[in-house]
Amino acid sequence: MRRNAIRSVFCYAYRPGHNRDGGFSVNVFTNDMLSFSVFDRFRRLQHELAFQLQPGTCQTILDFIQGADDWLWNFPPRMCYQQIPDEISIIGVDGYSLFQIEDFPRLVVSEFRSIRGHNTRLMMNLIEDIASLLSRQGLDLTLNSFHWSLSVQPLVPAAGEGDGAERKTV
């Protein structure tokens, strides 16, 4: 990899469980671009759009990640609620392996002082910080959806396409 190569610094992917249709991913790149991809139930890419973010968005996300470093290094790579998940969230942050949280909404409301609940709430706060930053730019990321306001126009092709950008794959 080239030292200055464009790379993804944050990735969030959502997949409904039980092989249901749907699923999407959002990647934020070092060049302040965001890609939004939609997948079918076999995880085949169906559609991809790119959005130009405000300058400095990537750096702000990197600052959020750095602020979470004290717990991210010890975060479990996979957390689950039940044997067959209803939904799967995959989170990628710069400098770490991918994290998988199954049934995120159920784990986040786990009993107070439960380690799984505590960890899930830490990750929820990080994702909410990033989602709030994107929201101020007309992009709405939730645990199970991604939308944009009418004032935001996507670019085509998607961020990094053809420019050697590294993507997190889910």
Side-chain angles (χ1 to χ4, degrees):
M1 177 178 89
R2 295 186 323 253
R3 190 172 214 39
N4 295 330
I6 297 168
R7 69 183 193 283
S8 175
V9 298
F10 172 74
C11 170
Y12 180 81
Y14 170 82
R15 290 194 317 239
H18 312 295
N19 287 327
R20 290 178 289 181
D21 286 340
F24 71 91
S25 72
V26 170
N27 277 276
V28 176
F29 295 93
T30 53
N31 62 352
D32 289 321
M33 294 291 288
L34 179 145
S35 71
F36 167 62
S37 304
V38 177
F39 301 92
D40 68 11
R41 70 184 197 153
F42 302 108
R43 293 195 292 186
R44 291 182 300 218
L45 180 65
Q46 297 299 298
H47 192 67
E48 188 169 33
L49 296 171
F51 298 86
Q52 180 65 58
L53 301 172
Q54 295 171 356
T57 299
C58 171
Q59 185 57 55
T60 301
I61 291 173
L62 287 170
D63 293 344
F64 292 156
I65 294 167
Q66 184 177 6
D69 186 62
D70 62 333
W71 58 266
L72 274 172
W73 69 271
N74 197 32
F75 198 89
R78 179 175 178 247
M79 293 192 334
C80 56
Y81 179 79
Q82 57 193 4
Q83 190 170 13
I84 299 174
D86 289 325
E87 53 192 285
I88 301 167
S89 296
I90 299 172
I91 302 103
V93 293
D94 192 54
Y96 295 90
S97 296
L98 293 173
F99 302 106
Q100 180 170 311
I101 300 177
E102 298 172 4
D103 298 314
F104 207 133
R106 289 182 176 170
L107 285 173
V108 83
V109 296
S110 294
E111 187 175 325
F112 186 71
R113 288 186 303 218
S114 121
I115 191 67
R116 290 184 330 154
H118 179 75
N119 283 334
T120 307
R121 288 185 286 276
L122 286 171
M123 186 63 78
M124 174 71 95
N125 287 334
L126 177 60
I127 293 170
E128 277 191 303
D129 287 345
I130 294 168
S132 292
L133 175 66
L134 297 175
S135 178
R136 292 190 293 271
Q137 299 180 48
L139 303 169
D140 184 27
L141 173 64
T142 71
L143 290 180
N144 62 7
S145 69
F146 180 78
H147 304 281
W148 56 95
S149 69
L150 294 175
S151 63
V152 174
Q153 294 299 311
L155 309 170
V156 179
E161 196 164 291
D163 64 7
E166 278 187 33
R167 283 187 176 75
K168 299 225 189 260
T169 56
V170 294

